[in-house]
Amino acid sequence: MPDRLKLTKNAQFFRIDERVSNEIIQDVLDAATENIAPDGELIIDNFREEIYVEKFDLNFTYSIKAYPSYRPVYFLDDIYSDTIHAFILIIEIGDYIAILRKSCSSVFEVLENHFTLIGSGEFSSMFADENVEFQKLALRNMTVSDRAMRSRSYEAASLKGLLSTHSAGRSIPYYYKLRQGAVTKSISGTGRVVETSVRAPLEEIGAWVKEQILQIESTNTSNFLDAFASKIELHEVLGVTAPNAILIECTSLFERIKKDNLLIKYKTKSGRIVGVKNRDVKKIENALEKVYEIDSDYSVMDSDGRSKIRVNKKTLTIQSPLLSKLKLQENGKFVTLQKFIVRNGFYSISFDDPKYMYFMGSCFEDSSGVSEIDSILEMLTPVDGISSVSSEKGKPTSISVNFRKGSMFKLVESIHRSDDYIFCDDLGDEWADHITFSKKNSNICFIHSKHGDPSTSASNLHDVVGQGIKNLGNMYFDAASINKKVNAMLRSKYSLGGVQTNISRIRRGNANRFEAYASNLLKDYKLNRSCVLSCSFISKSQVAMEFEKIKNGRNVRGNVIQLLWILSSFAHAAKEMNIRPIIYCAE
């Protein structure tokens, strides 16, 4: 037994799916030690040794390798490197294994083939609410909007009773820190448990692992965590429903490509690797940003005719000849665009039953999706004249002083004609297309407009919801910042597509009196804020008819499910910031 070991209580837990053989454990160890220094030797090397710890009356099997490795010195020429020491420890107890490791190569792919990662939902049974104080909680939002707030975190001495669980059913807890008596633990969705403690020898680490396993198998319930979305096994979801649509998160994908300075390339018939031209990159982006439906044999409809969703043992992945032909050069190696999208989770898949969603490589169950349909429909506000809208802004000319009749901008200004101030903030450093103020209604409105043909497609809504969510934070401005915006930008005339019009950006109100007006309005204790999406392509009756089918358990097209998720994302993001979500639409 390696007596020199002193380790922290920090491990990932997996459930054993099949009989553990020497070959499987050796594969894990080989994967971990791929980064051993070329001239390095193993400092510790124990393979599947059994140990009995009399103090704890405990038997377990362990395997460990410790070795030197080289890490490049990034701030100097690449001939320099630091020597570090890495290790991996595998502890086998009953139907579980625990992995403790540091600085070794990735082993997750090998582990995934033979074991099941313990999810955060299973860890919730480790403690009862009355015995624990949740001190920190990080949440991942279940959303198909790539511009939505993706995650948020909360911290307090005890979050129970302080944290509102409104819309919690669409939030995935992926990290929490808690206190149980004198013990502080942190638990992540990657199956990792970390307990604050001094370093301990192997015998104590084994006893700690056994303690965590016993708690995983306990029958405690946490009402606090039960309010949130939970991870669910893929086979359980596929047993009751089927995938019906896929959405590639294009904004996230191409932002990552740009951030990492990656170039999209492809192999020619002659075998040469050449770069894709900018105009073709834009075509690829336009093609990928659509929502694609999935038919009964898992084929992706309206794509290249050969793309499919592949059902693996624990995951759903994309199989596309086109995405496989396109390549990215990352860290000196070529990887297909298909593998890059799958590996980074840049896609989401919805199901016929909308309470399930595949996102970031896992399935999650939303407990609030269907039950909140009525409240989502309440956001939809039919307005007269929106059905006759034929454009978003019209085609203003150099002599135009107003937006043309039949444009969405003209309709919005007509709806808010009784407000005290109306500003057109479109283009530039915009917060919204229109910003309106009303002392009578104690209201500030940010209005985002989008025109399109009537449909229940999620594509048109995706962009305008993203704009609305992105600017929610700007709605809590102070008098100085809004007055600065008015004086610096909004006292000018509106310009569109190179045409300088005669349309004043101050559509209503006296700008010279605005500073005092805004200061007084912001002091109003009744003040409320509304984020409005003005969408000519949405019909409330048509959406209500499709959503009623969902409530009754009937199948609907994939784009309808995506529509529900996007509307829900907008509602939750706004309400969480105490902002009213409103959507102007057709009857």
Side-chain angles (χ1 to χ4, degrees):
M1 184 179 70
D3 296 325
R4 290 179 289 172
L5 279 180
K6 296 289 184 181
L7 304 175
T8 57
K9 295 175 181 179
N10 180 341
Q12 275 185 300
F13 289 80
F14 295 80
R15 182 176 285 106
I16 295 172
D17 295 332
E18 57 190 85
R19 188 182 69 84
V20 181
S21 63
N22 288 343
E23 289 76 14
I24 292 174
I25 297 299
Q26 190 61 56
D27 285 346
V28 177
L29 295 172
D30 288 344
T33 55
E34 282 184 0
N35 64 335
I36 189 170
D39 55 348
E41 296 182 357
L42 292 171
I43 300 168
I44 302 175
D45 185 12
N46 298 86
F47 183 77
R48 301 200 79 186
E49 294 192 9
E50 295 186 8
I51 181 174
Y52 173 71
V53 185
E54 185 176 359
K55 178 180 177 182
F56 303 107
D57 189 24
L58 171 66
N59 285 291
F60 66 89
T61 302
Y62 73 92
S63 303
I64 183 169
K65 287 182 183 290
Y67 56 93
S69 179
Y70 292 150
R71 177 180 292 169
V73 177
Y74 295 104
F75 57 86
L76 295 173
D77 191 273
D78 60 4
I79 64 171
Y80 295 98
S81 61
D82 290 330
T83 300
I84 60 172
H85 289 84
F87 81 91
I88 180 169
L89 168 64
I90 304 172
I91 294 179
E92 304 172 47
I93 299 179
D95 295 328
Y96 299 85
I97 68 165
I99 306 290
L100 293 84
R101 62 192 182 97
K102 184 179 185 298
S103 302
C104 61
S105 293
S106 173
V107 294
F108 191 79
E109 219 171 287
V110 180
L111 292 168
E112 192 178 35
N113 290 333
H114 302 287
F115 309 103
T116 299
L117 181 69
I118 304 296
S120 57
E122 291 181 82
F123 282 121
S124 66
S125 64
M126 293 178 68
F127 31 77
D129 270 2
E130 64 271 16
N131 300 326
V132 78
E133 292 177 341
F134 291 89
Q135 297 184 326
K136 190 170 184 178
L137 179 67
L139 301 171
R140 174 79 185 196
N141 292 337
M142 293 175 67
T143 173
V144 297
S145 175
D146 53 22
R147 298 178 188 174
M149 185 181 295
R150 294 175 179 271
S151 62
R152 59 201 191 280
S153 62
Y154 304 90
E155 189 168 2
S158 179
L159 288 168
K160 287 185 298 184
L162 293 178
L163 178 62
S164 169
T165 54
H166 166 73
S167 76
R170 288 179 53 79
S171 301
I172 305 160
Y174 65 89
Y175 172 87
Y176 36 89
K177 180 182 176 182
L178 54 95
R179 180 185 291 277
Q180 275 181 296
V183 176
T184 300
K185 291 181 182 179
S186 63
I187 298 170
S188 73
T190 57
R192 183 175 298 280
V193 178
V194 180
E195 184 174 311
T196 304
S197 67
V198 297
R199 295 182 181 274
L202 180 59
E203 303 98 311
E204 291 186 24
I205 294 295
W208 176 76
V209 167
K210 177 63 174 179
E211 180 186 344
Q212 308 315 303
I213 291 171
L214 290 174
Q215 291 186 354
I216 291 171
E217 294 179 334
S218 68
T219 56
N220 291 320
T221 58
S222 172
N223 295 328
F224 179 74
L225 289 178
D226 285 347
F228 298 95
S230 58
K231 189 175 178 180
I232 185 169
E233 295 300 325
L234 176 62
H235 68 86
E236 295 181 49
V237 177
L238 294 180
V240 295
T241 188
N244 64 359
I246 181 170
L247 177 70
I248 303 294
E249 296 186 11
C250 257
T251 300
S252 299
L253 169 62
F254 283 91
E255 281 181 356
R256 173 69 179 275
I257 289 173
K258 184 178 180 181
K259 177 185 174 184
D260 292 351
N261 294 316
L262 306 178
L263 297 176
I264 301 178
K265 300 185 178 184
Y266 70 98
K267 183 182 288 187
T268 65
K269 292 181 179 179
S270 62
R272 288 194 311 121
I273 303 292
V274 298
V276 176
K277 296 179 179 178
N278 287 337
R279 65 172 182 269
D280 293 324
V281 170
K282 189 61 182 177
K283 289 179 182 178
I284 294 169
E285 187 174 356
N286 291 339
L288 290 179
E289 68 183 2
K290 299 176 183 177
V291 177
Y292 289 95
E293 293 191 36
I294 302 168
D295 64 17
S296 57
D297 69 349
Y298 293 90
S299 295
V300 179
M301 301 168 64
D302 300 322
S303 57
D304 57 8
R306 293 179 293 164
S307 295
K308 294 183 70 102
I309 299 301
R310 182 176 176 180
V311 180
N312 307 302
K313 185 178 179 181
K314 301 173 186 176
T315 60
L316 295 175
T317 53
I318 311 165
Q319 196 169 26
S320 167
L322 176 61
L323 295 179
S324 295
K325 289 180 181 177
L326 299 170
K327 301 178 183 298
L328 298 171
Q329 189 168 6
E330 186 182 30
N331 297 325
K333 297 180 180 179
F334 284 106
V335 59
T336 67
L337 186 57
Q338 172 180 296
K339 187 172 183 179
F340 189 80
I341 290 171
V342 170
R343 189 177 66 195
N344 291 284
F346 290 144
Y347 64 104
S348 59
I349 296 174
S350 62
F351 296 83
D352 290 330
D353 187 335
K355 72 179 179 181
Y356 301 110
M357 187 174 187
Y358 185 87
F359 188 64
M360 297 293 290
S362 298
C363 274
F364 295 94
E365 183 174 7
D366 167 29
S367 60
S368 63
V370 174
S371 62
E372 67 175 357
I373 281 179
D374 290 337
S375 64
I376 289 175
L377 289 173
E378 288 178 5
M379 291 192 304
L380 302 181
T381 306
V383 296
D384 293 336
I386 200 167
S387 298
S388 60
V389 167
S390 57
S391 69
E392 190 171 302
K393 307 166 188 177
K395 293 184 179 179
T397 66
S398 58
I399 61 172
S400 298
V401 294
N402 290 300
F403 292 102
R404 291 186 179 181
K405 185 178 181 180
S407 69
M408 184 67 79
F409 277 30
K410 178 69 174 178
L411 178 66
V412 164
E413 291 176 3
S414 175
I415 294 170
H416 289 266
R417 59 185 177 273
S418 298
D419 289 359
D420 303 319
Y421 284 88
I422 303 175
F423 298 106
C424 179
D425 192 32
D426 180 45
L427 305 177
D429 181 27
E430 68 174 72
W431 290 355
D433 292 327
H434 285 90
I435 303 174
T436 75
F437 298 81
S438 172
K439 179 65 176 175
K440 179 181 178 182
N441 298 320
S442 299
N443 185 234
I444 297 171
C445 251
F446 274 33
I447 306 169
H448 304 268
S449 297
K450 182 80 172 179
H451 170 66
D453 296 329
S455 82
T456 54
S457 169
S459 300
N460 285 337
L461 191 63
H462 194 260
D463 286 339
V464 70
V465 163
Q467 292 169 12
I469 292 176
K470 181 181 69 174
N471 285 299
L472 288 174
N474 289 328
M475 297 193 71
Y476 285 90
F477 50 76
D478 56 27
S481 61
I482 188 63
N483 193 58
K484 180 180 179 182
K485 186 175 185 65
V486 169
N487 290 329
M489 301 179 61
L490 300 181
R491 285 180 179 268
S492 62
K493 302 292 185 180
Y494 183 70
S495 178
L496 177 67
V499 177
Q500 181 60 61
T501 76
N502 204 32
I503 300 174
S504 172
R505 285 183 174 272
I506 303 172
R507 307 300 301 138
R508 180 174 174 81
N510 186 336
N512 295 327
R513 299 176 181 174
F514 179 72
E515 184 174 7
Y517 171 90
S519 181
N520 288 331
L521 182 63
L522 290 172
K523 295 175 184 177
D524 187 348
Y525 71 91
K526 302 187 301 296
L527 181 64
N528 63 92
R529 294 166 172 83
S530 302
C531 182
V532 179
L533 310 182
S534 188
C535 304
S536 59
F537 50 87
I538 292 180
S539 161
K540 182 170 184 175
S541 59
Q542 189 177 5
V543 171
M545 181 175 64
E546 294 296 332
F547 283 6
E548 189 65 27
K549 294 178 185 177
I550 296 175
K551 290 173 65 177
N552 294 332
R554 295 162 58 192
N555 288 342
V556 294
R557 292 169 63 88
N559 62 293
V560 175
I561 302 296
Q562 297 285 357
L563 185 69
L564 171 61
W565 283 87
I566 291 175
L567 288 173
S568 182
S569 299
F570 172 57
H572 289 162
K575 289 178 180 178
E576 190 169 78
M577 296 187 68
N578 202 26
I579 293 170
R580 289 191 306 160
I582 299 171
I583 299 178
Y584 292 160
C585 62
E587 186 63 54

